[in-house]
Amino acid sequence: MKKLRFIYRMEIQFSSPVNSHYFALRCIPGDCSRQRIALTEQNIYPADYLARTKDGFGNIRLSGCCQGPHETFGYAIAGTALTRGMEAVKEPLHPMYRYPSAYTRPVPEIAVFAGKAEKLCRKLGKKQNLEKAVCVMGMLYEGFSYEPGSTDISTTAGEALKQGKGVCQDYAHIMTAVLRYMGIPARYVAGLMIGEGYTHAWVEVYTRDGWYGLDPTNNLHIDEYYIKLAHGRDYGDCVTDRGCFRGTAGQVQKIYVKVEEIKNDGNSGGNETAGG
């Protein structure tokens, strides 16, 4: 197992005061068989009320509100994670992960990609779900370009695949859509990875051993350097900060993420590779 130290900060600056601000956050990683979390900081500001529950997908959700006027809203989450890598998480399969969702509709571009993937899998003799998923990941990594700013949070898998470029959210949506079209259950994952930068997104595919993670943006199996925040059918189920308020203010959001390995001798270190 690896021991990671993580910091996740988000702040929104409003151009003028807002009030009656209700929010739902998925910014705290939870425990599972491949990660054990110990929080050292949990600061949500401002917040008159805060409740910690689990959503319908099993993710930790913080719900709350701030009634009074404020021009800043944010959170700071920090802690350590004991992680295992390249390991399946045993959970029952819910049928919803077999079917299309808002971001993963089976448009013609997805169908064509899936057909090519099936052909390659037959040629290589790949029959198991994980083997096929690795083939899809390799095809996507080779044929899709990482380009920040080319898409936004509303871009669907089909739209991104048609233009041939996007960010980690798009890689995850395309791979999820293609796998489901091929009859392989898959789900979207939001989380953190080693380095300094932003949040990341990847895919979990259902195998005979449970849910197994693959990162199509980097063509990697999920190892000890990833920390999971949330999973769902697509990005819409994993939004880390969602809210509504009264006011007509503009918003500027800043996000800072840092994940580093804590060495056995007590010194900090690790690779400095930013996420997608």
Side-chain angles (χ1 to χ4, degrees), residues 19 41 72 192-193:
N19 59 75
E41 181 180 6
T72 301
L192 317 174
M193 68 176 294

Side-chain angles (χ1 to χ4, degrees), residues 2-169:
K2 299 290 186 182
K3 188 173 185 179
L4 308 178
R5 178 187 293 120
F6 63 90
I7 300 170
Y8 180 18
R9 300 191 186 113
M10 187 282 297
E11 186 171 89
I12 298 174
Q13 292 284 345
F14 298 103
S15 59
S16 60
V18 301
N19 59 75
S20 298
H21 184 174
Y22 294 86
F23 54 84
L25 311 174
R26 293 174 181 82
C27 56
I28 296 180
D31 290 339
C32 66
S33 62
R34 64 162 300 273
Q35 67 183 37
R36 289 288 182 267
I37 306 300
L39 288 182
T40 57
E41 181 180 6
Q42 177 186 305
N43 181 25
I44 289 84
Y45 58 91
D48 301 326
Y49 166 80
L50 194 65
R52 176 169 168 163
T53 59
K54 284 194 174 181
D55 66 15
F57 304 94
N59 308 310
I60 295 175
R61 179 176 60 194
L62 298 177
S63 301
C65 66
C66 179
Q67 293 292 348
H70 54 284
E71 296 183 6
T72 301
F73 175 77
Y75 53 77
I77 306 296
T80 59
L82 289 174
T83 58
R84 297 181 185 274
M86 302 180 70
E87 176 179 296
V89 176
K90 295 185 181 298
E91 289 180 14
L93 172 62
H94 194 288
M96 65 181 167
Y97 296 119
R98 295 183 180 274
Y99 302 108
S101 58
Y103 285 88
T104 62
R105 293 187 294 273
V107 296
E109 290 80 9
I110 296 297
V112 170
F113 193 106
K116 292 179 180 177
E118 289 280 20
K119 184 177 180 179
L120 178 61
C121 288
R122 287 194 296 270
K123 179 180 179 181
L124 298 177
K126 306 301 183 183
K127 298 180 179 180
Q128 301 299 324
N129 284 1
L130 182 55
E131 293 176 329
K132 290 183 176 182
V134 171
C135 281
V136 171
M137 178 172 70
M139 288 177 60
L140 183 57
Y141 182 75
E142 293 296 329
F144 193 75
S145 300
Y146 183 84
E147 187 172 320
S150 59
T151 57
D152 57 37
I153 60 172
S154 67
T155 304
T156 66
E159 291 167 346
L161 184 57
K162 186 175 182 179
Q163 71 175 22
K165 55 188 176 182
V167 294
C168 61
Q169 174 180 310

Side-chain angles (χ1 to χ4, degrees), residues 184-231:
I184 300 173
R187 65 188 185 187
Y188 181 99
V189 180
L192 317 174
M193 68 176 294
I194 195 76
E196 189 169 3
Y198 300 95
T199 53
H200 194 45
W202 59 91
V203 176
E204 287 181 342
V205 56
Y206 198 77
T207 72
R208 56 190 174 186
D209 297 317
W211 289 104
Y212 187 90
L214 296 169
D215 177 4
T217 307
N218 297 297
N219 201 27
L220 294 173
H221 294 240
I222 298 304
D223 59 19
E224 299 92 338
Y225 296 110
Y226 291 76
I227 301 173
K228 180 178 176 178
L229 289 173
H231 64 252

